[in-house]
Amino acid sequence: MWDRLVGQEAVVRALRAAAEQDALGHAYLFAGPQGVGRMPAAFALAASANCPERGCGACPVCRKVLRRAHPDVHLVAPEGAQILVGQVRAVREEAFRSPIEGRTKVFVVEDAERMNAAAANALLKVLEEPPAGVLFVLITEAPEDLPPTVASRCRRLDFAPLGSAQVREVLAGHHGIDPDLAEWAGRVAGNLARALRLARDPDAPALREAHLELPGRLARAGPAEAIRAAGEVKAESVAAVAKLRATQEAGAKEHAEVFGDGRGTAAARKRLEDRHRREAKRREMDVYEEVLSDLASFYRDLLLAASGAPDALVNREVGDRIVRAAPRVERRWLLHALDRIEWARRAISRNASPALVLEALFMELGAPRPVPVGA
Ligand SMILES: [Zn+2]
């Protein structure tokens, strides 16, 4: 299970050593961008903290934890935009109960920077006087947004961003994806989670191509086109969620067949439903994130081409178009466009309406100095 964490050798060494020597801390902070293995590392750690072999990855305990079906391993994630104090209070209560079948109760807190002040305070109280046999793993891409009092109670481990070569290695090596497809997905995706979707979802390449056509469309047309384009992105996110829901329903059915409808299954079913709801919300947001990241990579390529470095382009598939357009675009405008994309990304992550943010962004990208790409 540790071998799957490509590119995080230092983190893996530290965690394995601590687990094998029975020297695990009671709280960890996993800092790093999305899609680099923070979540798999958290569950591998949870398995190690419960496995009789200190983390073999293969025994029933490890397998149950890694399947996310172990009753002593809990995932806490934002309800909507925030992690609320009620969620942390429930964690606190649970932390003081003894484990159901394992050795260590583990609480994995996803997007920990989204705890509101009350929630962070409630967590701080447990971290200050942690009950025995409890392990917290806080996961965040913005450790500086956590209260220092909380962060200082955790052992911090920094996850390195994966390079495109490492993403390619994971896709081809661990997921059996065709090398050419893995090369392309690794190059354009920006992170592992998206690279996997690009490589596995047959609709994904065409959708990405449509994202790369947005700059040209926006440059040629007025605000009506900007609004239409924003509407299309929204439709894409609705479709992505519907697709996910279909796989989730299959999973829920399988769950019902395995566990039946008897007593005691209600809690497990509720956990599964909660997880599905969170995944759907995340998938919806991921589509916006992906569109913004594709746009940014296109404008960055234009900058590279304008600086006379066309060999370094990410979007080689549309390289000709980019190289042709580059001399006609002002570099200052491109920097401004990249800045506005970053603004949009932040606004959406802070719970602004994605549809409205995209409309505003797309209008700006079309005016006042349109990028004449493909015109
Ligand atoms: Zn094991």
Side-chain angles (χ1 to χ4, degrees), residues 51 56-57 59 62:
C51 163
C56 68
C59 70
C62 284

Side-chain angles (χ1 to χ4, degrees), residues 67 93 253 273 286-287 309 339:
R67 269 208 329 272
E93 266 173 44
K253 209 170 144 218
E273 283 166 9
D286 279 349
V287 170
D339 198 52

Side-chain angles (χ1 to χ4, degrees), residues 183-184 187-188 208-209 212 314-320:
E183 191 280 326
W184 171 75
R187 173 158 47 84
V188 305
R208 187 169 190 280
E209 221 165 278
L212 296 181
V314 165
N315 299 290
R316 287 174 212 153
E317 291 73 16
V318 290
D320 286 352

Side-chain angles (χ1 to χ4, degrees), residues 298-366:
F298 188 90
Y299 288 121
R300 229 180 282 120
D301 274 356
L302 269 173
L303 259 180
L304 282 173
S307 317
D311 294 343
L313 297 191
V314 165
N315 299 290
R316 287 174 212 153
E317 291 73 16
V318 290
D320 286 352
R321 189 150 49 106
I322 289 170
V323 170
R324 267 204 317 276
R328 291 177 283 153
V329 192
E330 253 188 73
R331 288 173 55 146
R332 248 189 29 223
W333 191 91
L334 288 173
L335 291 171
H336 172 74
L338 285 168
D339 198 52
R340 296 314 287 161
I341 292 170
E342 182 55 24
W343 162 81
R345 212 182 64 79
R346 292 199 145 243
I348 290 173
S349 79
R350 288 178 181 158
N351 220 24
S353 151
L356 291 181
V357 170
L358 279 198
E359 279 181 14
L361 175 71
F362 286 179
M363 283 193 207
E364 273 195 73
L365 294 180

Side-chain angles (χ1 to χ4, degrees), residues 72 74 79 82 182 224 251 292 306 310 323 345:
D72 294 313
H74 301 264
E79 299 274 353
Q82 291 187 318
L292 294 175
V323 170
R345 212 182 64 79

Side-chain angles (χ1 to χ4, degrees), residues 36 55 62 65 67 102 122 125 129 169 189 219 289 334 359 361:
V36 296
C62 284
V65 174
R67 269 208 329 272
K125 282 186 196 150
E129 287 175 53
E169 183 189 333
E289 174 73 39
L334 288 173
E359 279 181 14
L361 175 71

